[in-house]
Amino acid sequence: MGARSAKMESFAMAEDSVSNNLGSSTESIQTENMRQNFVPNAYWNPTLDIKQGKAQIKFKTPSSFTRWDTQVAVFTKDLQTGKNTFNFASKKDLMVRLETPRFLRQGDEMALKTILNNESNRTLQVQMMLSMNFRGEVKNIGLNTTLSAGAQKTFSHPFTDPYEVGDMQVAVVARAGALSDGEVKTFPILNSAEYLTESETITIKDGANNIALKNISSSTLQAVHLTLDTSLL
């Protein structure tokens, strides 16, 4: 993204000072103004209004920091055609991005990654906070780091699923003086179990008032739903 190549470095959390002074360790980050619209298509208009051979468009780019490829095509009533392509980049002087999975399964272990980019021409003292919100339970991780001009740093945050099903919201915000950026993503944690149904026919002898079911033993069994149908066949 852009003509200048960024200096690639990878750091674990212990490489920089970790702090929770960027906010409460149990208070969720406000995400209203964060980047969260990552659709792949920025703009589409099949009927531009052309005046004196020119057309103007105005649109808001999605939240992704990337290079956008643009294609323009025109045709006249007598079937004359023309087309052109060009591209542009959307970026900021200070950028922070999240790398999250599309989904997790119960009990999965992984590393969430945050990527900091300094596209300015000066060294920045960056404060970053990562917030993980699962079913209203919030965990915040604060971090302070120095980012040279044109540099990029990647941080890894180990994560173990609490073996529950639901949506995990992950937000990250970075600040350096008047510069700031933030991004939020949500991904589901899916059930890792396979639901099986087993039926058994039991004959009850005349006068009996109890039945015995065979014992079910399993180290991975989470719950059993038992339905008793007392229909007489």
Side-chain angles (χ1 to χ4, degrees):
M1 185 171 61
R4 180 173 54 190
S5 59
K7 182 181 179 182
M8 300 292 293
E9 300 179 31
S10 180
F11 293 80
M13 288 294 292
E15 300 278 341
D16 294 79
S17 60
V18 177
S19 170
N20 278 323
N21 61 5
L22 302 181
S24 169
S25 60
T26 59
E27 182 180 351
S28 181
I29 295 177
Q30 298 298 317
T31 61
E32 287 80 2
N33 297 321
M34 289 189 179
R35 294 181 292 103
Q36 48 189 311
N37 176 25
F38 302 103
V39 295
N41 296 320
Y43 182 80
W44 161 252
N45 190 339
T47 55
L48 291 177
D49 186 16
I50 301 177
K51 295 181 179 179
Q52 297 180 348
K54 296 181 180 180
Q56 291 185 345
I57 61 173
K58 183 179 180 180
F59 64 96
K60 184 178 181 180
T61 61
S63 301
S64 301
F65 291 134
T66 185
R67 188 188 71 174
W68 298 95
D69 294 322
T70 306
Q71 296 182 351
V72 181
V74 296
F75 63 91
T76 63
K77 292 182 180 180
D78 57 355
L79 300 182
Q80 296 185 63
T81 63
K83 63 179 181 179
N84 197 2
T85 59
F86 62 95
N87 58 68
F88 65 93
S90 56
K91 61 182 182 178
K92 299 171 67 174
D93 285 345
L94 174 63
M95 298 181 290
V96 62
R97 292 172 290 148
L98 281 168
E99 284 191 358
T100 60
R102 292 191 301 112
F103 64 89
L104 289 179
R105 295 284 183 181
Q106 286 176 302
D108 281 351
E109 296 182 2
M110 63 159 296
L112 296 172
K113 290 186 178 180
T114 52
I115 303 171
L116 279 173
N117 284 85
N118 180 4
E119 290 293 321
S120 72
N121 56 5
R122 65 186 190 278
T123 299
L124 298 177
Q125 301 298 322
V126 182
Q127 292 181 312
M128 184 179 71
M129 174 174 280
L130 176 73
S131 177
M132 294 177 284
N133 188 334
F134 182 70
R135 288 185 169 182
E137 296 184 9
V138 179
K139 179 182 179 182
N140 290 342
I141 302 173
L143 181 144
N144 301 318
T145 186
T146 300
L147 198 60
S148 302
Q152 173 176 293
K153 285 185 179 181
T154 301
F155 300 92
S156 181
H157 316 276
F159 170 77
T160 301
D161 171 57
Y163 220 89
E164 295 184 37
V165 175
D167 288 333
M168 169 68 76
Q169 184 189 75
V170 183
V172 63
V173 61
R175 300 185 181 95
L179 302 178
S180 66
D181 187 36
E183 182 173 293
V184 58
K185 290 184 177 180
T186 302
F187 59 89
I189 297 177
L190 306 177
N191 201 314
S192 61
E194 182 179 359
Y195 291 97
L196 299 177
T197 301
E198 182 178 356
S199 63
E200 183 176 355
T201 301
I202 301 174
T203 302
I204 302 177
K205 295 182 178 180
D206 187 24
N209 56 11
N210 59 70
I211 59 175
L213 299 177
K214 63 181 181 181
N215 185 37
I216 301 176
S217 60
S218 172
S219 60
T220 60
L221 189 64
Q222 293 275 317
V224 174
H225 180 73
L226 176 65
T227 301
L228 182 63
D229 186 357
T230 57
S231 301
L232 295 178
L233 300 178

